[in-house]
Amino acid sequence: MTLDAYTPVPDLIRAYAATAPGKAALILEDRQLSYDEFVRLGDRVAAALQREDVAAGESVAICAGTSLEYGCAFFGALIAGVAMAPIAPSSTPDGIAAMAADCGAKVFFVDKAVADAMGAELGKVKARIVGLDVGAPGVPFAEFLAPEGAKPAPVAITEELPFNIIYSSGTTGAPKGIVQSHGMRFWQVVRVQPMGYSENSVVLLSTPLYSNTTLVSFFPTLALGGTVVLMKKFDAGQFLAQSQRHRVTHAMLVPVQYSRIMAREDFDSYDLSSFQMKFSTSAPFSPALKQDVLKRWPGGLVEYYGMTEGGGACVLAAHLFPDKLHTVGMPAPGHDIRVIDEDGKELPRGEVGEVVGRSDIMMSGYHNRKDQTDAAIWISPEGLRFIRTGDVGRFDADGFLELMDRKKDMIISGGFNVYPSDLEAVLRQHPDVADAAVVGVPSAEWGETPVAFVVSSGADGETLRAFANERLGKTQRISAVELVDELPRSHIGKILKRELRDAYAAKR
């Protein structure tokens, strides 16, 4: 299939269903939906939303674990031209209610686990409640659906129409609703084709459906006629078993998942020869782990660097550039990535600054947050609109982007810039260190000083501090090491450094 002009994702899925109605679209454990079943259920959801007077351009929300019903609800909203706001169940009850209100949801899809966790806060959601599974409150999903065979009224789905509203993790403050258009999602479909996605693809997704990490593979797979195998919850052993059983060709994983898979003693006993390509995104991916994946896991390995907000993306085909594993690759075709200083001046290769980017894949803006949308934009000297990433990095002589850290995580100690990732890399050289994170804490003497949080299998904190400081520059030295059982992470594996700072401040 050649895609050279905008076509709405729902139309692409419907067109493929007409050619291969009986082919499996979604598989989850012992259940599956064919393309024909998926489209017919999507139509029934869309017709039901129109019955509830949810118009094109308006919003509905969903907060639940991964299920086939989740996929159908999302697809049905798209058919009706309605923006879906997928909310993370790990959010606080009041946060879930606030996000449902912020997006203006007219219908709120929820499962029993989320409803039970929300308790009284669910009553604050001013939307029609639809229960996705047994025991969930509201009208049951099967009853909410329009009758079998129902067709929604046709909707013109333009490139500018909102596809979804993805809420940021809130790790740096209140979650912001990132509005992504149908045009943006279409161009993501185009982008994955060179990576081998086709009607022959079997894609295993073990990250949750409310995550943009998942959605950038979920809908492109279906738009191109592939089969999506879903997991309700990630388990390294089950991931390997499902890969072997379904002859999986592609997978999107976050680095912590790769780490757990590669650490299994029985990894080499599984037949993974069907893999064509594996992907990673959303969090730092260590060069050593990339190298291990390349050595022991068949198929290529591609790392994507970018933001949910869109803008520019970098791509590292690790199997083609094994000497560049310390980078996140080069700008994707058609993507413009630059590095700027504190004054917004563009910097040359080799100099360190904030990474900004632009492309066809850019958010429309933050929902109801014009001020924050404006703050996220950098305008180039040519008058072009770029999105600020908040990441600090530099381009090497070959045009590969090397990331230092998040701008907000950079530590200024005694007037010197200290990048936590450099310190973390040194700590991980110690054989007893399983995981490490470094944050800046207030210091009367230096302004800020680095403190490390380490998961250790034996060495004590002082031993690890001495080990690191022997290998670090004078301005980089770690002032304290806190031993922890595990590091707090988001659902896609990002370390929640704000929680570490808050915990350290409370302890002191």
Side-chain angles (χ1 to χ4, degrees):
M1 181 189 299
T2 301
L3 300 176
D4 52 13
Y6 167 71
T7 306
V9 168
D11 291 359
L12 291 173
I13 296 173
R14 189 183 299 279
Y16 187 79
T19 65
K23 181 178 176 179
L26 300 181
I27 298 174
L28 177 60
E29 297 174 349
D30 59 350
R31 296 178 62 200
Q32 73 175 48
L33 289 175
S34 68
Y35 266 87
D36 181 62
E37 291 169 329
F38 185 55
V39 168
R40 285 193 285 110
L41 281 167
D43 279 341
R44 293 174 69 189
V45 171
L49 291 175
Q50 292 177 344
R51 181 195 67 218
E52 299 291 326
D53 295 324
V54 186
E58 295 186 316
S59 304
V60 296
I62 188 167
C63 190
T66 296
S67 68
L68 298 183
E69 289 76 15
Y70 192 125
C72 292
F74 205 138
F75 181 47
L78 301 180
I79 292 171
V82 172
M84 176 61 82
I87 299 172
S90 57
S91 306
T92 61
D94 60 329
I96 294 171
M99 285 181 267
D102 180 73
C103 71
K106 286 191 168 183
V107 173
F108 183 50
F109 297 94
V110 65
D111 64 13
K112 184 179 185 300
V114 170
D116 289 348
M118 288 188 70
E121 289 292 329
L122 183 61
K124 297 181 181 179
V125 176
K126 307 301 181 186
R128 180 80 184 277
I129 307 297
V130 177
L132 289 177
D133 59 359
V134 176
V139 58
F141 184 68
E143 295 180 18
F144 174 77
L145 294 172
E148 181 72 46
K151 299 285 187 182
V155 174
I157 301 178
T158 63
E159 287 190 69
E160 296 76 22
L161 197 68
F163 186 105
N164 57 249
I165 303 173
I166 299 282
Y167 280 88
S168 64
S169 62
T171 56
T172 58
K176 300 184 290 290
I178 300 163
V179 182
Q180 298 170 318
S181 68
H182 275 266
M184 176 179 177
R185 289 298 189 190
F186 167 76
W187 290 111
Q188 287 178 339
V189 176
V190 174
R191 188 177 77 174
V192 304
Q193 281 192 292
M195 301 298 176
Y197 278 72
S198 71
E199 67 272 14
N200 299 316
S201 299
V202 179
V203 180
L204 179 53
L205 298 176
S206 56
T207 46
L209 276 172
Y210 51 81
S211 168
N212 190 59
T213 298
T214 310
L215 296 178
V216 295
S217 286
F218 181 80
F219 281 111
T221 301
L222 296 171
L224 294 170
T227 296
V228 175
V229 180
L230 297 167
M231 293 180 67
K232 287 186 176 180
K233 184 178 181 181
F234 174 74
D235 174 83
Q238 282 299 311
F239 179 91
L240 291 168
Q242 293 287 316
S243 295
Q244 179 174 278
R245 175 186 175 189
H246 295 291
R247 303 297 295 161
V248 168
T249 62
H250 297 73
M252 172 68 81
L253 295 159
V254 295
V256 68
Q257 292 176 320
Y258 278 106
S259 179
R260 291 173 183 172
I261 290 169
M262 303 308 296
R264 285 189 63 91
E265 293 182 359
D266 62 349
F267 173 83
D268 295 320
S269 68
Y270 289 92
D271 179 5
L272 305 179
S273 60
S274 58
F275 271 93
Q276 298 173 21
M277 198 70 69
K278 302 169 296 298
F279 304 94
S280 182
T281 188
S282 300
F285 198 174
S286 76
L289 182 55
K290 293 177 196 174
Q291 192 172 48
D292 191 29
V293 173
L294 288 173
K295 180 180 179 181
R296 300 168 57 206
W297 193 335
L301 174 65
V302 172
E303 180 179 13
Y304 287 121
Y305 163 70
M307 300 174 68
T308 303
E309 287 89 337
C314 283
V315 181
L316 174 66
H319 51 290
L320 299 180
F321 298 99
D323 60 333
K324 296 292 186 178
L325 302 187
H326 61 291
T327 77
V328 292
M330 303 179 75
H335 290 229
D336 188 350
I337 311 288
R338 306 185 192 183
V339 175
I340 62 174
D341 65 15
E342 291 288 341
D343 298 321
K345 180 182 177 183
E346 188 175 347
L347 296 172
R349 285 185 181 182
E351 293 197 25
V352 176
E354 183 180 4
V355 180
V356 298
R358 67 173 274 110
S359 69
D360 291 326
I361 305 174
M362 297 175 73
M363 70 171 180
S364 303
Y366 293 119
H367 187 63
N368 293 334
R369 305 275 184 97
K370 184 181 183 304
D371 56 336
Q372 294 196 33
T373 299
D374 293 343
I377 302 302
W378 175 73
I379 304 298
S380 73
E382 315 96 293
L384 300 174
R385 177 175 171 264
F386 286 68
I387 292 181
R388 293 176 175 266
T389 67
D391 289 327
V392 175
R394 66 185 171 201
F395 281 103
D396 69 13
D398 299 317
F400 286 74
L401 180 63
E402 182 180 358
L403 295 180
M404 309 303 184
D405 253 302
R406 292 289 293 163
K407 187 176 180 181
K408 64 181 176 59
D409 288 334
M410 186 178 71
I411 301 165
I412 303 177
S413 184
F416 292 92
N417 292 345
V418 177
Y419 299 106
S421 59
D422 293 339
L423 282 58
E424 292 159 0
V426 170
L427 282 165
R428 291 191 182 105
Q429 293 174 15
H430 193 285
D432 288 345
V433 173
D435 211 351
V438 174
V439 302
V441 301
S443 166
E445 184 176 4
W446 303 108
E448 283 187 300
T449 189
V451 170
F453 293 81
V454 177
V455 179
S456 172
S457 62
D460 61 35
E462 189 53 36
T463 298
L464 294 174
R465 189 174 78 91
F467 172 87
N469 287 345
E470 286 174 2
R471 293 161 175 78
L472 293 169
K474 185 177 180 180
T475 61
Q476 296 176 300
R477 290 175 184 168
I478 296 168
S479 62
V481 172
E482 298 281 314
L483 298 182
V484 294
D485 293 332
E486 62 179 355
L487 298 176
R489 294 180 181 272
S490 70
H491 64 272
I492 54 172
K494 290 183 179 179
I495 296 174
L496 304 177
K497 291 195 171 183
R498 187 179 67 175
E499 290 190 12
L500 294 175
R501 292 189 193 94
D502 291 348
Y504 189 82
K507 184 177 178 180
R508 291 293 178 273

